[in-house]
Amino acid sequence: MESLHQALKIAFASEFAFYLKAHYFHWNVEGPLFSQMHDLFGKIYEEVYGSIDAFAENIRKTGAYTPGSFTRFSALSSIDDETAVLPAEAMVAELLQDSEKMSEMFRIVFRAAEELGLHGLSDFLAGRQNAHDKHSWMLRSTLK
Ligand SMILES: [Fe+2]
């Protein structure tokens, strides 16, 4: 259970960092495809943000406390922070890489939840993997 708690906190902090990056790109994207990119990043950050509260509550259901500060998020997150304003295509490429990383993280944590018979939790984690697979597909298609 201890290793599941740690893996969940890392995935949660990473998901929050991913959300923040997508929102940051939504605010700052520029270029001839501004409108499409602004909307694409908008759809992604809204979907991910919409999962954050349920994610935190799923962590609480396992008995662990949920991190919720920049200090803890930055210590736990596996998603690299972005402080530069990148060209639009580089934003898409970076968010794609991060989304694929999130899918992989959820694939692994899902197994840990399943091993403990926490089917409600694993169902939630499978949903997050599926959501990131969709985000990755949209980002990948944008780059072609
Ligand atoms: Fe907006």
Side-chain angles (χ1 to χ4, degrees), residues 8 10 15 49 76 81 86 93 98 108 134:
L8 283 171
I10 289 168
E15 188 73 310
Y49 186 72
L76 289 163
D81 212 17
L86 303 170
D98 292 338
I108 292 165
K134 185 172 180 183

Side-chain angles (χ1 to χ4, degrees), residues 1 4 8 54 58-59 61-62 106 109-128:
M1 187 58 100
L4 175 69
L8 283 171
N58 271 299
I59 292 176
K61 282 189 234 165
T62 69
F106 286 120
V109 192
F110 170 89
R111 285 198 185 144
E114 275 295 283
E115 271 171 30
L116 292 166
L118 300 174
H119 301 306
L121 177 61
S122 59
D123 180 61
F124 174 79
L125 296 167
R128 294 314 305 146

Side-chain angles (χ1 to χ4, degrees), residues 38-140:
H38 182 71
D39 288 353
L40 175 64
F41 295 136
K43 265 189 212 147
I44 293 173
Y45 92 71
E46 280 176 6
E47 189 286 323
V48 177
Y49 186 72
S51 77
I52 291 294
D53 188 58
F55 199 161
E57 292 178 2
N58 271 299
I59 292 176
R60 293 293 296 124
K61 282 189 234 165
T62 69
Y65 289 110
T66 302
S69 64
F70 285 125
T71 308
R72 290 285 286 142
F73 281 159
S74 95
L76 289 163
S77 172
S78 298
I79 297 298
D80 291 335
D81 212 17
E82 185 56 77
T83 55
V85 175
L86 303 170
E89 198 167 307
M91 287 180 175
V92 174
E94 184 172 319
L95 207 60
L96 170 59
Q97 200 176 38
D98 292 338
S99 186
E100 287 173 340
K101 196 187 251 189
M102 290 309 305
S103 288
E104 179 61 12
M105 212 180 300
F106 286 120
R107 191 179 68 77
I108 292 165
V109 192
F110 170 89
R111 285 198 185 144
E114 275 295 283
E115 271 171 30
L116 292 166
L118 300 174
H119 301 306
L121 177 61
S122 59
D123 180 61
F124 174 79
L125 296 167
R128 294 314 305 146
Q129 184 184 352
N130 192 39
H132 276 285
D133 286 346
K134 185 172 180 183
H135 299 322
S136 297
W137 158 56
M138 292 195 292
L139 292 161
R140 202 177 300 117

Side-chain angles (χ1 to χ4, degrees), residues 9-43:
K9 288 176 190 183
I10 289 168
F12 181 66
S14 302
E15 188 73 310
F16 199 93
F18 181 92
Y19 145 71
L20 185 59
K21 192 185 281 190
H23 209 153
Y24 173 64
F25 288 172
H26 167 82
W27 290 325
N28 290 300
V29 69
E30 290 175 319
L33 295 176
F34 168 80
S35 185
Q36 282 112 304
M37 296 294 106
H38 182 71
D39 288 353
L40 175 64
F41 295 136
K43 265 189 212 147

